[in-house]
């Protein structure tokens, strides 16, 4: 929706913006839909992006113990029921021996129960959009009571603050080490700074480079308002400074 780059490379929206969308035609050109019905037909039509054989059916998988539904799972109509169960096992975790399959239509009405392990799927006449409902018969199944979906039921590993602080390979220990290094470096810089400003006295005249700006020293020392270190405050003879002296 919006602007479309045409083959000429320029952007053109005139006479193309209808219903806010553009349809890409088989020729590679873009055309605007004339009616809402045309737009609906284009959106719902097959794009041939995923080709499938005529013997393939798309089914939704639901499970008696799971809230999750597996949409548009592909099955060949010649697959026998046992092979279908084996394929579903990888998604639901229910073993073949404890799985009962019920085929339902789009309205949720039961069509058939797949109780013959050697019968091909086409025997039950499924259609795209039908649901294969899995009934888990295993009384000890891991999927019961939400154990495969509810993370709050999983016991988490917990560690006390004291135990965590005693470890040397944690991020907290790394932060403490870095903070100590920074304090040591800051203290060293402050010490060096003190030596540098030791010869400066309030009231002394000085010249600041670059710029050869002259003035009078009004402050020497550490200022809480500034980063760590020693500072020298200069009152210039001319109004060329960036601060007002406060």
């Amino acid at each position: 929706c919006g602007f479309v780059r045409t083959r000429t490379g320029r952007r053109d929206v005139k006479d193309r913006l209808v219903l806010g969308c553009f349809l890409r035609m088989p020729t590679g050109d873009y055309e605007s839909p004339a009616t809402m019905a045309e737009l609906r037909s284009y959106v719902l039509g097959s794009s041939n992006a995923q080709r499938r054989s005529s013997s393939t059916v798309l089914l939704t998988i639901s499970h008696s113990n799971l809230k999750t539904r597996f949409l548009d799972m592909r099955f060949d109509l010649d697959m026998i029921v046992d092979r279908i169960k084996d394929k579903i096992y990888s998604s639901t975790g229910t073993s073949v021996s404890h799985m009962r399959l019920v085929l339902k239509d789009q309205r949720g009405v039961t069509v058939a129960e797949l109780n013959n392990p050697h019968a091909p799927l086409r025997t039950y006449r499924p259609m795209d959009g039908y649901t294969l409902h899995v009934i888990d018969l295993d009384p000890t199944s891991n999927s019961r009571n939400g154990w495969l979906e509810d993370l709050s039921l999983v016991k988490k590993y917990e560690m006390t603050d004291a135990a965590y602080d005693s470890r040397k390979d944690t991020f907290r220990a790394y932060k403490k080490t870095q903070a100590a290094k920074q304090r040591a470096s800051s203290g060293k810089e402050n010490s060096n700074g003190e030596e540098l400003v030791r010869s400066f006295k309030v009231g002394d005249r000085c010249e600041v480079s670059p710029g050869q700006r002259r003035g009078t020293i009004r402050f020497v020392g550490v200022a809480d308002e500034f980063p760590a270190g020693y500072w020298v405050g200069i009152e210039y003879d001319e109004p060329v400074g960036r601060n007002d002296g406060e």
Side-chain angles (χ1 to χ4, degrees):
C1 298
F3 289 100
V4 170
R5 185 177 295 279
T6 63
R7 289 183 175 180
T8 60
R10 65 190 182 85
R11 290 183 178 272
D12 182 12
V13 75
K14 183 179 181 182
D15 297 327
R16 286 177 178 267
L17 188 57
V18 176
L19 301 177
C21 293
F22 301 96
L23 308 185
R24 191 177 190 277
M25 309 308 292
T27 59
D29 297 327
Y30 287 88
E31 294 184 4
S32 58
T35 64
M36 184 64 73
E38 183 180 343
L39 176 62
R40 187 176 189 277
S41 176
Y42 177 82
V43 172
L44 298 180
S46 174
S47 64
N48 293 322
Q50 294 181 328
R51 297 185 181 274
R52 58 190 178 101
S53 68
S54 58
S55 63
T56 301
V57 65
L58 301 179
L59 302 178
T60 295
I61 306 300
S62 61
H63 195 279
S64 58
N65 296 338
L66 302 176
K67 296 179 182 179
T68 303
R69 295 170 63 88
F70 305 90
L71 306 178
D72 292 343
M73 186 175 287
R74 295 187 177 203
F75 297 93
D76 192 282
L77 293 174
D78 293 321
M79 291 179 67
I80 64 173
V81 172
D82 265 358
R83 286 188 58 198
I84 293 172
K85 289 182 177 181
D86 191 56
K87 182 174 181 177
I88 294 175
Y89 162 72
S90 62
S91 298
T92 64
T94 301
S95 63
V96 173
S97 59
H98 290 94
M99 187 185 302
R100 191 171 79 192
L101 295 180
V102 178
L103 182 66
K104 298 183 179 183
D105 62 15
Q106 291 93 333
R107 298 171 298 172
V109 177
T110 298
V111 175
E113 184 172 335
L114 283 62
N115 50 18
N116 184 351
H118 305 294
L121 181 59
R122 67 171 66 251
T123 304
Y124 304 97
R125 303 192 180 195
M127 299 178 62
D128 286 350
Y130 275 23
T131 296
L132 267 180
H133 181 63
V134 179
I135 300 176
D136 192 334
L137 303 176
D138 185 359
T140 61
S141 174
N142 289 332
S143 63
R144 284 185 177 273
N145 302 318
W147 278 101
L148 294 183
E149 294 179 312
D150 189 353
L151 297 180
S152 65
L153 299 176
V154 181
K155 185 177 180 179
K156 312 299 189 301
Y157 176 75
E158 297 181 357
M159 179 183 294
T160 64
D161 284 341
Y164 188 74
D165 287 337
S166 66
R167 298 176 64 97
K168 306 300 182 183
D169 57 348
T170 63
F171 181 69
R172 185 180 297 176
Y174 170 79
K175 287 177 61 178
K176 288 182 179 179
T177 301
Q178 294 302 115
K181 289 181 179 179
Q182 187 174 5
R183 287 194 297 269
S185 175
S186 176
K188 184 177 180 180
E189 291 177 358
N190 288 346
S191 177
N192 293 338
E194 185 177 7
E195 294 179 3
L196 290 174
V197 302
R198 186 172 297 169
S199 60
F200 299 155
K201 299 293 187 294
V202 174
D204 287 352
R205 296 284 296 169
C206 64
E207 181 177 280
V208 179
S209 296
Q212 288 73 47
R213 294 166 294 178
R214 296 185 178 183
T216 303
I217 296 177
R218 298 302 186 190
F219 173 81
V220 178
V222 177
D224 294 335
E225 297 82 3
F226 298 146
Y230 282 79
W231 293 81
V232 177
I234 309 297
E235 179 185 359
Y236 291 123
D237 294 340
E238 299 179 1
V240 294
R242 294 181 299 176
N243 304 299
D244 59 5
E246 293 183 358

